[in-house]
Amino acid sequence: MGEPVVHFEVIGKDGAALRSFYSDLFGWKIDADNPMNYGLVQRDGNVSTDGTGIGGGVGQGPEGYDGHVTFYIEVPDVEAALAKAESLGGSRMMGPDKVMDTVEIGLFNDPEGNTVGVVKTTPQS
């Protein structure tokens, strides 16, 4: 069994404008009320009638960064996934990094330069 896609991300130069665009276009409820001003799109309320869909985020990148659109795959070990991507011809962009107490992420470029994320979520004790 493969590892699932669990999150999407749209990062650009103007996070507020992107949040407005995607909210208006798809009817997404986007909540950016957090210290990182990262617009969270919860899975609940953003699924098809048969329950298909994933949550994601829409935000702003650092100064001078053009942005990316990517998806995140849940993996048991972020470092191992990044190392494997590198061994298969990809290149590490970042990580592993903790983004919250229970979430560790990494980003890599595939051999054609597409950005892909890997994530591990540890349940809170």
Side-chain angles (χ1 to χ4, degrees):
M1 189 165 176
E3 294 167 337
V5 174
V6 295
H7 186 80
F8 70 85
E9 183 171 72
V10 180
I11 299 295
K13 294 179 180 180
D14 186 339
L18 283 172
R19 287 190 294 276
S20 178
F21 174 82
Y22 283 102
S23 179
D24 291 346
L25 179 63
F26 296 123
W28 293 347
K29 293 177 176 78
I30 303 175
D31 180 6
D33 185 19
N34 58 68
M36 293 173 45
N37 202 31
Y38 183 76
L40 291 170
V41 180
Q42 298 297 329
R43 181 182 183 280
D44 294 341
N46 291 300
V47 295
S48 66
T49 55
D50 67 355
T52 302
I54 62 172
V58 182
Q60 186 165 320
E63 184 70 32
Y65 182 65
D66 288 333
H68 64 266
V69 174
T70 195
F71 55 91
Y72 285 80
I73 295 91
E74 186 174 12
V75 297
D77 184 325
V78 172
E79 175 57 37
L82 292 170
K84 186 172 184 179
E86 290 175 310
S87 76
L88 295 171
S91 59
R92 185 184 306 233
M93 287 180 62
M94 63 159 278
D97 289 337
K98 285 267 193 187
V99 293
M100 293 182 279
D101 289 341
T102 60
V103 180
E104 183 178 52
I105 67 168
L107 291 171
F108 66 89
N109 287 323
D110 71 13
E112 293 196 10
N114 300 300
T115 302
V116 179
V118 288
V119 61
K120 177 183 178 185
T121 303
T122 306
Q124 288 185 318
S125 328

